[in-house]
Amino acid sequence: TPVAAVLPAGGSGERLGGATPKQFCAVQGRPLVSYTVRAMERISWIADIIVVVSPENIEIMKSIVERYGHKRVTIVKGGITRHRSIFNGLKVFAENKFSNHLLQKPEVVIIHDAVRPFVEEDILSKVVMAAKEHGAAGAIRPLVSTVIASAADGCLDHSLERARYRASEMPQAFLFDIIYEAYRQCTDYDLDYGTECLHLALKYCKTNAKLVEGTADLWKVTYKRDLYAAESIIKDNLS
Ligand code: C5P
């Protein structure tokens, strides 16, 4: 089965603070995004890897690809939200914009955040297999905190029963035609405020989405302290 991966890396990393978006921060001398790309490149059955970056970071990404020899990577210009960035990544296959690069339209596409470097073959093959069977699949984790909603006055409105809910993580995988059609049909509101690709696939393509339990190492590097955690995992793996 032809499988490709789209890695959104087009965010500004506001929550981390500092001038450099987290995906370009050096961890043990190497930019975070390069670890994530390497994790994908280690898997022989992933053909093309699309890295979506904001226009001002295209040159930085090009130099990373060059420096670390990421041969399967194609760099694509991102959008103002994560959904818009992912849509741009998918368009490359559908519209054959890079026909000179010989990008093959995949049967299954993996979507994985550039800021989750510790993704492994086990979870990737599980979500890909499940996507083939159900149309869509994604990694989940138990909730660490209870989710609550606040009312207009800033006081508690209601809370969700923690044991019944899961955090939606990455990677996710989709039959390409399903997720591309979902992005084509969805509204601007979805593209600007939505955070969940599985939701788009369900809402616009009426597919099933299989949920697959992932490991804690799939967490998203978000805050500065996450960079320290990532660094210590990488050091452990090296020693
Ligand atoms: O902001 P959030 O933590 O949800 O970002 C998850 C991933 O989506 C990050 O890798 C980030 O770079 C990417 N992203 C993107 N384009 C945006 C915003 C976020 O590719 N406009």
Side-chain angles (χ1 to χ4, degrees), residues 34-91:
S34 175
Y35 290 99
T36 316
V37 169
R38 185 175 70 175
M40 296 285 169
E41 282 184 335
R42 281 180 173 157
I43 296 161
S44 58
W45 44 264
I46 298 178
D48 295 301
I49 301 164
I50 307 293
V51 179
V52 192
V53 299
S54 59
E56 66 269 25
N57 290 317
I58 286 186
E59 290 307 315
I60 295 179
M61 193 62 217
K62 274 188 191 162
S63 65
I64 292 171
V65 164
E66 180 101 337
R67 163 116 197 253
Y68 296 98
H70 293 313
K71 299 209 169 49
R72 274 182 265 162
V73 165
T74 299
I75 302 169
V76 169
K77 205 186 284 182
I80 52 167
T81 64
R82 179 171 177 277
H83 269 336
R84 290 186 186 278
S85 292
I86 293 169
F87 193 15
N88 285 357
L90 296 172
K91 272 181 194 159

Side-chain angles (χ1 to χ4, degrees), residues 139-179:
I140 53 164
R141 289 287 300 159
L143 287 183
V144 176
S145 307
T146 300
V147 174
I148 62 174
S150 64
D153 64 359
C155 294
L156 178 67
D157 185 74
H158 65 277
S159 71
L160 300 183
E161 189 187 327
R162 189 164 71 189
R164 286 189 53 214
Y165 291 86
R166 293 289 176 272
S168 177
E169 307 284 344
M170 290 274 142
Q172 296 180 346
F174 303 85
L175 290 178
F176 181 85
D177 291 336
I178 284 184
I179 192 65

Side-chain angles (χ1 to χ4, degrees), residues 1-238:
T1 317
V3 178
V6 172
L7 309 185
S12 57
E14 275 166 16
R15 284 171 294 184
L16 191 111
T20 311
K22 55 199 173 181
Q23 59 275 28
F24 301 114
C25 286
V27 179
Q28 291 285 100
R30 183 179 178 131
L32 197 62
V33 59
S34 175
Y35 290 99
T36 316
V37 169
R38 185 175 70 175
M40 296 285 169
E41 282 184 335
R42 281 180 173 157
I43 296 161
S44 58
W45 44 264
I46 298 178
D48 295 301
I49 301 164
I50 307 293
V51 179
V52 192
V53 299
S54 59
E56 66 269 25
N57 290 317
I58 286 186
E59 290 307 315
I60 295 179
M61 193 62 217
K62 274 188 191 162
S63 65
I64 292 171
V65 164
E66 180 101 337
R67 163 116 197 253
Y68 296 98
H70 293 313
K71 299 209 169 49
R72 274 182 265 162
V73 165
T74 299
I75 302 169
V76 169
K77 205 186 284 182
I80 52 167
T81 64
R82 179 171 177 277
H83 269 336
R84 290 186 186 278
S85 292
I86 293 169
F87 193 15
N88 285 357
L90 296 172
K91 272 181 194 159
V92 165
F93 294 112
E95 295 172 0
N96 224 345
K97 269 200 218 151
F98 288 76
S99 49
N100 50 332
H101 291 208
L102 296 170
L103 286 181
Q104 192 188 3
K105 192 183 107 173
E107 181 190 343
V108 175
V109 64
I110 293 165
I111 298 178
H112 185 71
D113 292 328
V115 288
R116 299 175 191 260
F118 305 114
V119 60
E120 290 186 338
E121 181 157 12
D122 180 60
I123 185 75
L124 287 166
S125 55
K126 278 181 184 157
V127 294
V128 167
M129 299 295 282
K132 272 202 238 176
E133 190 183 337
H134 299 275
I140 53 164
R141 289 287 300 159
L143 287 183
V144 176
S145 307
T146 300
V147 174
I148 62 174
S150 64
D153 64 359
C155 294
L156 178 67
D157 185 74
H158 65 277
S159 71
L160 300 183
E161 189 187 327
R162 189 164 71 189
R164 286 189 53 214
Y165 291 86
R166 293 289 176 272
S168 177
E169 307 284 344
M170 290 274 142
Q172 296 180 346
F174 303 85
L175 290 178
F176 181 85
D177 291 336
I178 284 184
I179 192 65
Y180 185 65
E181 198 49 33
Y183 273 99
R184 265 174 27 96
Q185 287 183 24
C186 78
T187 62
D188 278 340
Y189 188 86
D190 285 314
L191 289 175
D192 288 334
Y193 297 101
T195 53
E196 182 48 72
C197 309
L198 293 176
H199 170 77
L200 289 187
L202 241 71
K203 184 170 167 192
Y204 291 99
C205 291
K206 301 190 176 37
T207 173
N208 284 323
K210 182 73 178 171
L211 305 179
V212 183
E213 192 76 33
T215 66
D217 280 352
L218 287 175
W219 105 104
K220 178 164 61 178
V221 173
T222 303
Y223 300 107
K224 186 147 194 184
R225 58 148 196 262
D226 294 322
L227 283 177
Y228 299 122
E231 182 149 52
S232 75
I233 293 174
I234 288 160
K235 275 187 189 155
D236 280 355
N237 290 349
L238 291 177

